[in-house]
Amino acid sequence: MSRPLIYAANWKMHLGPAAARGFIERFQALTRPEEGRRLWFFPPAVSIAAVCEALDGRADAAVGAQNVHWEAKGAFTGELSLPLVTEVGARIALVGHSERRHLYGETDEQVGRKVGAVLKAGLTPLVCVGETLAERDAGRTEQVVVRQVDAFAERVRDWEPVVIAYEPVWAIGTGKTATPDDAAQVHQLIRFQLGRHGVDRRVPILYGGSVNQGNVLALLAREELDGVLVGGASLDPDGWAELVGLRG
Ligand code: PGA
């Protein structure tokens, strides 16, 4: 394998502790750690501890929170802090997922604060960027993605732990996937923009949006992609084990 690949499973509001444990037990039975492959799981927060326990220290796997607050504690009803998710085993935090941005009004400014807090807490941020269909149709993809990257890039001193996901909003949960060329083009744009921020290392960039067993190989054939962030196709252990096991 030419480059390490990250396969990230975003379970969204699915799989409570019992179901999550069952998923991991089945997945463990189906897969073995492989050189150059990282497996990341983003269960609902109530299932983080169960997933960590079931993974039983598996060296190629890590567990993350789907969302965190930038403050370490305080009167923020319904929110989760980095110390809280870290205590139950999270080592990664998804930041700025389009469902957070578009359904809950999360702003670029808030995404930036969260990225800063995740890094300060010593966790890995998986920062999501991506344009809506209206923005793409209006020819504004580049402008939107650059703006989203700039908003958090200024908060980053050390890029070592940072991972980015390009997820075009129109491709998430819709069955419409960006073509490998579309995805690769935006990945190049993100990388170019990182260069303008003086980033001199290869920050991994994942693609997300209706990735499944049928299209993952064509996407990962593009060397611009360092992995995939998957929702729907990550919810079944057999399907997920198959997807992460496919090789071109
Ligand atoms: P999807 O979700 O694979 O179901 O499109 C991807 C995501 O939202 O991260």
Side-chain angles (χ1 to χ4, degrees):
M1 180 173 303
S2 54
R3 66 197 189 284
L5 293 175
I6 298 170
Y7 292 82
N10 175 13
W11 290 351
K12 308 190 180 183
M13 206 163 69
H14 302 280
L15 304 180
R21 193 184 311 271
F23 179 113
I24 297 295
E25 282 166 3
R26 173 76 183 149
F27 183 79
Q28 293 271 56
L30 294 169
T31 60
R32 290 281 166 275
E34 269 179 29
E35 192 69 28
R37 181 180 72 180
R38 304 286 304 157
L39 304 168
W40 289 0
F41 294 92
F42 295 90
V46 295
S47 302
I48 292 174
V51 170
C52 291
E53 221 174 274
L55 283 170
D56 194 25
R58 184 171 164 149
D60 60 337
V63 182
Q66 294 176 12
N67 179 39
V68 288
H69 198 275
W70 56 83
E71 294 289 347
K73 61 181 174 184
F76 301 102
T77 301
E79 292 289 327
L80 288 168
S81 69
L82 282 149
L84 290 173
V85 299
T86 304
E87 186 179 339
V88 290
R91 296 293 173 264
I92 316 162
L94 207 53
V95 182
H97 187 278
S98 73
E99 284 151 18
R100 302 296 321 166
R101 291 179 189 262
H102 296 288
L103 300 176
Y104 302 104
E106 205 165 288
T107 64
D108 285 341
E109 152 76 14
Q110 290 170 336
V111 170
R113 291 173 82 165
K114 289 181 180 194
V115 170
V118 171
L119 289 169
K120 200 165 154 220
L123 274 72
T124 291
L126 173 50
V127 196
C128 303
V129 299
E131 81 288 359
T132 64
L133 184 59
E135 289 163 342
R136 172 161 283 254
D137 287 347
R140 293 180 52 227
T141 299
E142 177 168 346
Q143 187 190 335
V144 169
V145 170
V146 163
R147 190 199 74 220
Q148 291 173 336
V149 169
D150 288 350
F152 74 84
E154 61 194 37
R155 307 266 184 170
V156 181
R157 301 281 163 274
D158 173 16
W159 285 88
E160 213 267 353
V162 178
V163 179
I164 295 173
Y166 167 55
E167 294 206 307
V169 181
W170 49 270
I172 296 177
T174 58
K176 287 185 203 138
T177 323
T179 64
D181 281 349
D182 285 340
Q185 203 180 4
V186 180
H187 282 227
Q188 278 170 8
L189 163 74
I190 293 170
R191 217 168 274 299
F192 179 74
Q193 194 61 16
L194 293 178
R196 295 176 78 167
H197 285 275
V199 183
D200 57 1
R201 65 191 334 279
R202 184 178 170 110
V203 172
I205 306 177
L206 316 185
Y207 168 78
S210 295
V211 175
N212 58 36
Q213 293 86 346
N215 57 29
V216 68
L217 283 182
L219 287 160
L220 290 178
R222 298 300 304 250
E223 70 92 25
E224 290 88 347
L225 277 66
D226 300 298
V228 285
L229 174 55
V230 184
S234 74
L235 290 174
D236 162 69
D238 290 68
W240 187 236
E242 185 196 337
L243 192 153
V244 305
L246 293 169
R247 287 288 179 277

